[in-house]
Amino acid sequence: MKFQSKRIHHHHPLSPLSSSNLFDILTEEIVCKILDHLHEDPFAIKSFSLACKSFYFIESRHRGSLRPLRAELLPRTFHRYPFVSHLDLSLCPCVDDGTLNVISSTWKATLKSINLSRSRFFTNAGLSSLFINCSGLVEVDLSNATHLTDLAASAIAEARSLEKLSLARCKLITDMGIGCIAVGCRKLKSLCLKWCLRVGDLGVELIALKCKQIRSLDLSYLPITEKCLNSVLELQNLEDLVLEGCHGIDDDGLSTLEQSCKSLKMLNLSNCQNVTHMGLSSLINGTEQLQQIILAYGSSVTSDLAKCLYTYSKLQSIKLDGCIITWSGIKAMACLRAPIKELSFSKCLGLTDDGLSFLVQSHKDMRKLDITCCRKITYTSIDSITSSCTSLTYLRMESCSLVPKEAFVLIGERCSFLEELDATDNEIDDEGLKSISRCSKLSILKLGICSNISDEGLAKVGSRCSQLKELDLYRSTAVNDVGISAIADGCPALEMINIAYNDKITDKSLISLSKCGMLKALEIRGCLGVSSTGVSAIAVGCKQLTVLDIKKCFNINDNGMLPLAQFSQNLKQINLSYCSVTDVGLVALASISRLQNMTILHLAGLTPNGLAAALLACRALTKVKLHASFRPLLSQSILGYMEAHGCVFHWRDKAFQKEMDPKGWKLHFGKNSREVA
């Protein structure tokens, strides 16, 4: 979330007495405008503030939001930044009551929002101090605070101005605590209770009765029934309602509903297997503003279900991921009067060429389509999609194994507005890639496990798709340095690239990519041809790098870690498993102040003493994956110290893998492409 910084509206020159300084002609308002453009680059802001005393003074009063790396750094900021309104402590696992007390006294007049979603160690006492003193708080995120009880909820109730509250996974809070919040926080507009397993019908009903301004309500996985829904549906401002995984809600219960919510715009009934078209019809009856409905992993899509949506003329988005699709259901969806802009059929069984072709011909204004793992569709479907939906901007078709290479030519020829394409594990070749390169607005392109593409096709992408930000070439082994160089030359905005498990990639690719100054995530796992030379080039050229995966890059050693330690101060996550890094390299990395997540498995040159030194030096760590053999070799005092400061250890007992990729492409699926595993 981006926040507006506090502006200072003075129009006099910065320092009239220093007329020889060119910066003197700038008013404070102009300087604040400059700072607004630098807000996403902390190093640029720091450099700016150190340029002169006037800039330092203005920056300290201009800054309205803070996201410190560690809670212990906060005392330095209290006097430096007196007008902080938005405080994000999601990088600070250790936030105790003392810290909250100081925060509440320092910024009591300015603080509007605080994020404690990854923080621990505070109690209801600290929260009470925060909410009593900071009377202007309107947004609080307490997600994942599994230790909080109803006492904390009663403290939250002191926040009379609160408008947005997240209590996701606060599993100890009960109806009693939610009742306190309902009575105290009457101005609530957004409330998330996802996975609050002790909150039932009573708590939800109290919220609905007392907090009449609620617009967004997330009740995912709560043990609720239809008993609380009448009150919920009476909320006159409710726009978003999430009932995902609420297994206590069924058709019989929904049939008893007497209320309708005319303001509802989004309804999520994912994983509600006990709700069919009959229950859905009862729930959305009278909902005039409905724009999006999510029924993923629910009952079969039949004609009866589709007919429930006939009267909703403003409906734009339908998500049916994981559902069984029937021909009658498709025909009924084709008859919907609403201008559908988004359809999602990811992992749906029963979707065929005939059905999909028939459907898209009726909804030609489609902008987003997801047919991931729909393994029955062929060239026919792609032909229909591209000829009917020429304004498509988003197409996900991973693992559509029956779609031939010729179909991808149609995508480029007919869908020139495409911004995102996922063609992972498909038959696309260079001719298809050349055609797709006509989509000049393309920003995300996923081509993992596409063995038919080569440098020739990538060269076209590099020359035509200058706005490309993400490129996935996982296990696309026909690509080599020439293709990567073309991407680096033509795509200066590139932020993420995955070229894992390709033995044709060498340091030349990394040297080319070092020109991409916006690069944030680089995955070169299993690239045997890269060495410390390439990593050094990345470190020097890509100052924004935050994620680096060099697992099984055996030629990367300490010589690559030293430049990372010197230049990659934004690095947050790294996987060093199986590399040739020793104690020296690991200790050097520990100097990176933002480093939070490390995976360190099977480093032959790592000793218990070196590991201990690195862990103690790396003060921002929140997650470390280590081989179980190190556990008895590290002193309990060190482990206790790290855990007390918010670091979580994940011990793995994996045997050394001689194969480069023993599970092949299966490693790729089911994981976030940016996750360091």
Side-chain angles (χ1 to χ4, degrees):
M1 184 174 182
K2 296 181 181 178
F3 300 107
Q4 292 294 322
S5 299
K6 185 175 182 67
R7 297 181 181 273
I8 303 173
H9 297 288
H10 298 291
H11 299 278
H12 57 274
L14 296 177
S15 179
L17 300 177
S18 305
S19 57
S20 60
N21 190 337
L22 292 177
F23 291 125
D24 291 346
I25 64 175
L26 301 178
T27 65
E28 290 187 10
E29 185 176 22
I30 293 175
V31 175
C32 288
K33 289 281 189 181
I34 295 172
L35 283 168
D36 284 342
H37 287 282
L38 298 178
H39 73 281
E40 291 185 353
D41 187 347
F43 290 100
I45 293 176
K46 183 177 181 180
S47 298
F48 182 93
S49 66
L50 294 177
C52 62
K53 290 183 178 180
S54 297
F55 282 11
Y56 183 90
F57 176 81
I58 293 175
E59 191 274 329
S60 69
R61 279 146 182 78
H62 173 271
R63 185 181 289 247
S65 60
L66 278 181
R67 195 185 188 201
L69 295 173
R70 300 188 301 276
E72 55 263 35
L73 297 177
L74 275 172
R76 305 180 192 177
T77 67
F78 291 141
H79 298 293
R80 170 102 165 87
Y81 302 111
F83 300 118
V84 169
S85 56
H86 305 285
L87 181 60
D88 185 350
L89 297 176
S90 59
L91 300 180
C92 305
C94 298
V95 177
D96 57 20
D97 289 342
T99 302
L100 292 183
N101 289 336
V102 178
I103 289 172
S104 63
S105 61
T106 302
W107 292 310
K108 62 182 178 180
T110 61
L111 197 63
K112 300 294 183 184
S113 75
I114 186 168
N115 186 340
L116 294 163
S117 61
R118 299 293 176 184
S119 306
R120 290 175 285 168
F121 303 110
F122 59 86
T123 69
N124 58 289
L127 289 177
S128 181
S129 173
L130 179 69
F131 294 126
I132 290 174
N133 290 324
C134 300
S135 58
L137 268 173
V138 296
E139 181 176 347
V140 176
D141 191 343
L142 293 169
S143 301
N144 307 302
T146 55
H147 62 289
L148 294 183
T149 65
D150 288 340
L151 288 175
S154 64
I156 296 171
E158 300 291 340
R160 307 298 184 186
S161 299
L162 202 60
E163 296 181 5
K164 186 174 183 179
L165 174 64
S166 179
L167 296 174
R169 297 182 183 83
C170 292
K171 298 181 179 180
L172 297 181
I173 293 179
T174 71
D175 289 336
M176 184 177 295
I178 296 301
C180 292
I181 292 172
V183 172
C185 305
R186 300 293 185 92
K187 295 182 179 180
L188 269 181
K189 295 179 180 178
S190 176
L191 177 62
C192 177
L193 297 175
K194 184 175 184 178
W195 286 110
C196 291
L197 300 179
R198 298 191 181 187
V199 176
D201 289 323
L202 177 60
V204 174
E205 191 168 10
L206 288 171
I207 287 290
L209 292 174
K210 299 294 184 181
C211 304
K212 295 297 186 180
Q213 298 182 43
I214 288 281
R215 294 181 181 178
S216 177
L217 187 59
D218 188 343
L219 306 176
S220 301
Y221 299 99
L222 264 60
I224 58 174
T225 68
E226 75 286 348
K227 293 179 181 178
C228 65
L229 291 183
N230 268 319
S231 298
V232 169
L233 295 178
E234 284 183 351
L235 292 167
Q236 296 182 3
N237 299 303
L238 186 64
E239 295 180 354
D240 299 338
L241 177 60
V242 183
L243 298 172
E244 180 178 356
C246 293
H247 301 302
I249 296 176
D250 58 25
D251 287 346
D252 291 338
L254 292 176
S255 67
T256 65
L257 293 179
E258 300 174 353
Q259 300 296 329
S260 63
C261 185
K262 295 182 179 181
S263 59
L264 195 66
K265 294 182 179 180
M266 189 281 289
L267 175 64
N268 187 341
L269 281 172
S270 299
N271 284 299
C272 291
Q273 288 89 355
N274 298 323
V275 178
T276 69
H277 68 278
M278 293 185 290
L280 176 63
S281 179
S282 300
L283 186 57
I284 63 176
N285 180 41
T287 303
E288 301 171 353
Q289 306 297 322
L290 194 63
Q291 296 178 9
Q292 182 181 47
I293 189 159
I294 305 173
L295 304 172
Y297 299 97
S299 60
S300 298
V301 179
T302 63
S303 60
D304 289 330
L305 187 143
K307 287 176 182 177
C308 293
L309 307 176
Y310 274 4
T311 60
Y312 302 99
S313 59
K314 296 183 179 181
L315 191 62
Q316 297 182 15
S317 173
I318 303 175
K319 297 187 177 183
L320 302 168
D321 301 346
C323 294
I324 296 175
I325 308 295
T326 67
W327 171 240
S328 63
I330 286 290
K331 286 197 297 183
M333 287 181 64
C335 296
L336 294 177
R337 294 182 297 170
I340 304 300
K341 300 292 180 64
E342 178 180 14
L343 281 174
S344 185
F345 293 108
S346 176
K347 300 179 182 178
C348 285
L349 298 177
L351 189 66
T352 64
D353 283 338
D354 290 342
L356 188 54
S357 299
F358 186 75
L359 183 60
V360 296
Q361 288 171 16
S362 300
H363 297 291
K364 296 187 176 183
D365 289 332
M366 191 94 65
R367 297 293 191 273
K368 295 184 176 182
L369 179 63
D370 190 341
I371 49 176
T372 297
C373 295
C374 293
R375 302 183 188 277
K376 291 184 178 181
I377 68 168
T378 68
Y379 179 96
T380 302
S381 288
I382 304 303
D383 185 19
S384 296
I385 292 168
T386 55
S387 60
S388 299
C389 308
T390 55
S391 297
L392 208 62
T393 61
Y394 171 104
L395 177 60
R396 300 193 66 179
M397 50 180 298
E398 177 181 338
S399 297
C400 292
S401 51
L402 295 183
V403 175
K405 59 185 180 182
E406 292 81 9
F408 292 92
V409 175
L410 302 179
I411 296 175
E413 289 177 347
R414 300 171 180 175
C415 301
S416 58
F417 298 105
L418 206 63
E419 297 175 13
E420 178 174 345
L421 174 64
D422 187 349
T424 302
D425 191 25
N426 274 289
E427 295 299 316
I428 183 172
D429 63 1
D430 286 336
E431 291 304 313
L433 208 48
K434 289 176 185 177
S435 179
I436 288 168
S437 70
R438 300 177 186 179
C439 305
S440 58
K441 295 183 179 181
L442 201 64
S443 62
I444 299 176
L445 181 58
K446 298 185 179 182
L447 300 168
I449 322 177
C450 292
S451 57
N452 297 327
I453 63 170
S454 70
D455 296 335
E456 184 180 352
L458 278 186
K460 285 295 183 182
V461 173
S463 64
R464 293 177 174 178
C465 303
S466 59
Q467 298 182 39
L468 195 68
K469 292 184 177 181
E470 295 185 20
L471 178 62
D472 188 350
L473 295 168
Y474 175 95
R475 288 181 64 84
S476 294
T477 53
V479 173
N480 61 40
D481 294 331
V482 176
I484 302 302
S485 178
I487 292 295
D489 290 338
C491 306
L494 193 69
E495 296 181 2
M496 179 271 179
I497 187 168
N498 185 345
I499 44 181
Y501 294 111
N502 188 338
D503 57 10
K504 295 184 179 68
I505 298 297
T506 72
D507 287 335
K508 292 180 180 179
S509 287
L510 301 192
I511 293 170
S512 297
L513 289 171
S514 68
K515 295 179 289 187
C516 300
M518 302 299 294
L519 193 67
K520 296 179 181 178
L522 174 63
E523 302 195 25
I524 52 175
R525 175 186 298 205
C527 292
L528 300 181
V530 301
S531 70
S532 296
T533 301
V535 172
S536 298
I538 290 292
V540 173
C542 304
K543 300 292 197 306
Q544 301 299 320
L545 193 70
T546 59
V547 177
L548 179 62
D549 188 343
I550 54 177
K551 178 180 178 180
K552 294 191 176 180
C553 294
F554 304 117
N555 294 322
I556 295 178
N557 55 31
D558 294 340
N559 293 331
M561 300 303 101
L562 298 177
L564 284 174
Q566 182 177 358
F567 298 106
S568 300
Q569 289 301 307
N570 277 313
L571 194 65
K572 296 179 181 179
Q573 187 170 309
I574 189 168
N575 190 338
L576 300 168
S577 301
Y578 295 88
C579 292
S580 299
V581 175
T582 70
D583 294 347
V584 174
L586 195 62
V587 171
L589 285 178
S591 66
I592 300 176
S593 60
R594 294 174 179 266
L595 193 59
Q596 297 175 297
N597 188 331
M598 288 199 297
T599 300
I600 316 168
L601 299 174
H602 299 294
L603 293 188
L606 184 62
T607 67
N609 288 338
L611 176 59
L615 291 175
L616 292 174
C618 198
R619 303 183 65 183
L621 278 180
T622 59
K623 182 179 179 180
V624 181
K625 289 185 181 179
L626 289 167
H627 196 272
S629 60
F630 274 105
R631 191 166 193 170
L633 302 178
L634 293 171
S635 72
Q636 289 303 309
S637 59
I638 291 177
L639 294 177
Y641 173 84
M642 296 297 297
E643 290 171 347
H645 284 75
C647 183
V648 177
F649 289 94
H650 295 263
W651 303 99
R652 297 289 184 264
D653 195 17
K654 291 183 178 180
F656 187 91
Q657 296 174 349
K658 295 182 180 179
E659 302 92 338
M660 279 305 303
D661 190 6
K663 295 183 181 179
W665 62 271
K666 292 181 181 178
L667 287 175
H668 182 72
F669 293 103
K671 292 183 179 179
N672 186 317
S673 61
R674 296 191 179 191
E675 181 183 358
V676 176

